[in-house]
Amino acid sequence: MLLGALRGGFRREGGKAGPTLGRWRLSAEGYQLMMTPHVREAVLAAQDHKAVDLDVLDLKGVSSFTDFFLICSGTSTRHTQAISDAVLEQLAKAGVSPAHVEGYAEAQWILMDYLDFVVHIFSEQARRFYDLERLWRKATRIKVEGLV
């Protein structure tokens, strides 16, 4: 946390930022620093393959089974599969493999469980239907458009 503060990850309360830590408020940059390196790699792989509407939900304190959700969409069956393949390949380079993958063949909702985080890759229609962001609305939502 201190490292994030030293790098400009915190702003004084009232300064347009995220959740508070005492009198300090965490900025978007600070939250990106809090993502694990593997979550960051998954985000970058999804971005490289043009995933739509990327969001990371910080579930610490909200969920007991994982720390983060990476949620994104693809525009077609093949696109969602390509995003999944890219995440799998990128994380395999880092020596990480999922404990479980499901939904790949149908590609409406591909779930990749890495235990510390779960990657959800939806078709646009399935994402609207299941609306995980609404179901997990108590989680802190991290927009990742600027992460590179």
Side-chain angles (χ1 to χ4, degrees):
M1 291 277 200
L2 182 58
L3 180 60
L6 294 174
R7 289 187 180 162
F10 291 92
R11 294 189 185 138
R12 201 171 270 292
E13 203 167 328
K16 291 273 191 179
T20 61
L21 181 68
R23 295 182 330 202
W24 296 93
R25 188 172 286 276
L26 194 57
S27 69
E29 298 84 18
Y31 250 107
Q32 288 175 0
L33 289 171
M34 290 178 66
M35 279 192 282
T36 67
H38 294 137
V39 173
R40 195 171 295 116
E41 286 297 317
V43 167
L44 293 172
Q47 284 177 326
D48 286 347
H49 281 74
K50 310 295 187 222
V52 179
D53 295 329
L54 261 75
D55 280 322
V56 174
L57 300 183
D58 183 345
L59 297 168
K60 289 187 261 34
V62 177
S63 165
S64 61
F65 65 90
T66 194
D67 291 337
F68 295 97
F69 278 174
L70 165 57
I71 304 171
C72 63
S73 301
T75 57
S76 67
T77 298
R78 185 63 199 124
H79 188 207
T80 57
Q81 289 171 333
I83 296 166
S84 174
D85 293 342
V87 170
L88 190 66
E89 182 180 316
Q90 186 67 31
L91 290 173
K93 289 178 186 175
V96 180
S97 59
H100 185 72
V101 176
E102 59 182 80
Y104 185 87
E106 300 82 17
Q108 292 298 305
W109 179 0
I110 301 173
L111 183 144
M112 305 169 76
D113 185 355
Y114 286 91
L115 302 178
D116 290 342
F117 65 99
V118 179
V119 178
H120 299 274
I121 307 167
F122 287 99
S123 69
E124 292 172 327
Q125 181 181 7
R127 185 165 180 179
R128 282 190 305 272
F129 181 79
Y130 291 106
D131 198 6
L132 290 186
E133 292 92 341
R134 182 186 59 78
L135 290 173
W136 291 95
R137 66 182 161 261
K138 290 186 179 181
T140 301
R141 192 173 187 173
I142 305 168
K143 289 302 252 178
V144 294
E145 286 96 14
L147 181 64
V148 278

